[in-house]
Amino acid sequence: MSTKSLSKLLRRNFAAISRHGIRLSSTQAQKKNKNECSGGIFSEEHQQLRDSLRKIIDKEINPHVDQWEQEGQFPAKKVFKTLGNAGLLGVTKPTEYGGLGLDYTYSIALAEELGNINCGGVPMAIGVQTDMSTPALAKFGSDKMKREFLAPSIAGDVVSCIGVSEVGGGSDVASVKTTAVKSGGDYIINGGKMWITNGAQADWMCLLANTSEGPAHRNKSLICLPMNLPGRDFRLLSIGGGADEVMLSIICKYMNTLPLPPSKQK
């Protein structure tokens, strides 16, 4: 069975699972009970998904890794489109935006399978698209924002990145200095980000910025920032692994923030 045909089969099966739950035969039920007793969480459906990804890895990724390493860049748009066509960039995302609507165990299964890629940069780049730049958008974004940024990310039509780390703050997220100040119907964004995986090829960035003068742990918002806006200054950092890491200086005007959930607005 071709990867495309398998993808269609998986989408139908997983859509049914999402709506109705998994209907098991007696043999499958025995296997499920055995797995549960031994602490296993993966079913035959998980394995189908893994097999679909493994075929892409063996055919479309691993044969080219050495060349990509020499070139210092992998073709993110091509790879992501292949994964998107197979339904692998939105397994936990809502079905109305092209996702499969499955639980997080399927993401864990895919993450394990990504370990079969013969480098570190490409699986990291994929993980940024599926589990760093898009989860908050899927949970808190408006329908308009989801259709503009989430749906094409799930389809593999665009590449996304996340802008959090800065010169003076990485894991200490509260210390970021980038600001987004509202001016009329826009936000004026001013700051800089570093170590942006996918940055040199990204179409949009999930950008963390200070949007108020409140306490450092409560004054921030995520902004869906198109990467084709004027005012950006890129500098490519020298780094191995196949994933583009860049330094980005930003002075631009844009309006598209993810609202802070009500529980965090106190």
Side-chain angles (χ1 to χ4, degrees):
M1 182 182 295
S2 68
T3 300
K4 188 173 183 180
S5 298
L6 181 58
S7 173
K8 291 181 179 179
L9 177 62
L10 288 171
R11 284 179 181 273
R12 288 198 299 269
N13 288 346
F14 294 150
I17 291 169
S18 299
R19 291 194 301 269
H20 307 299
I22 303 173
R23 300 181 63 181
L24 301 176
S25 65
S26 58
T27 302
Q28 289 174 319
Q30 290 175 3
K31 290 181 180 179
K32 181 176 184 291
N33 291 335
K34 183 178 180 180
N35 283 340
E36 289 177 345
C37 291
S38 62
I41 61 172
F42 296 149
S43 65
E44 291 185 9
E45 285 75 19
H46 290 87
Q47 190 58 50
Q48 285 180 320
L49 198 66
R50 295 181 70 138
D51 290 344
S52 180
L53 175 57
R54 186 58 181 267
K55 288 181 179 181
I56 293 174
I57 291 172
D58 291 343
K59 182 179 179 181
E60 306 291 344
I61 297 178
N62 278 345
H64 309 290
V65 164
D66 289 342
Q67 178 186 345
W68 296 342
E69 291 280 11
Q70 291 178 359
E71 295 173 350
Q73 187 177 81
F74 81 104
K77 293 183 185 296
K78 180 180 179 181
V79 172
F80 284 14
K81 186 57 183 173
T82 300
L83 294 169
N85 285 343
L88 300 174
L89 293 180
V91 295
T92 63
K93 301 302 189 299
T95 56
E96 57 265 42
Y97 301 102
L100 297 177
L102 301 173
D103 65 64
Y104 202 72
T105 61
Y106 288 87
S107 287
I108 295 172
L110 289 187
E112 287 188 357
E113 201 62 38
L114 288 173
N116 290 300
I117 296 178
N118 294 333
C119 67
V122 175
M124 173 59 74
I126 296 169
V128 166
Q129 181 100 345
T130 58
D131 289 275
M132 295 182 74
S133 62
T134 53
L137 174 60
K139 187 171 184 179
F140 299 115
S142 66
D143 178 71
K144 178 180 181 295
M145 292 178 66
K146 289 176 184 177
R147 296 198 182 281
E148 183 176 355
F149 296 100
L150 181 62
S153 297
I154 292 172
D157 292 330
V158 299
V159 175
S160 65
C161 63
I162 187 164
V164 173
S165 297
E166 300 178 356
V167 174
S171 57
D172 182 13
V173 176
S175 69
V176 302
K177 304 301 182 185
T178 298
T179 60
V181 179
K182 198 165 186 178
S183 175
D186 299 310
Y187 275 96
I188 306 299
I189 303 170
N190 196 332
K193 299 294 179 179
M194 291 185 66
W195 304 302
I196 309 167
T197 302
N198 295 345
Q201 301 186 69
D203 297 287
W204 70 276
M205 172 189 287
C206 180
L207 172 77
L208 183 70
N210 298 305
T211 50
S212 75
E213 297 295 330
H217 292 83
R218 297 183 178 181
N219 70 339
K220 293 169 176 58
S221 300
L222 292 172
I223 300 172
C224 295
L225 180 72
M227 298 293 276
N228 60 357
L229 294 178
R232 300 172 304 111
D233 176 32
F234 281 112
R235 184 147 54 91
L236 183 64
L237 304 180
S238 177
I239 190 166
D244 303 310
E245 302 277 352
V246 303
M247 179 183 291
L248 170 66
S249 296
I250 310 167
I251 302 177
C252 64
K253 178 186 292 188
Y254 189 59
M255 173 66 172
N256 227 336
T257 59
L258 297 181
L260 201 63
S263 62
K264 302 296 184 182
Q265 294 179 358
K266 300 177 182 178

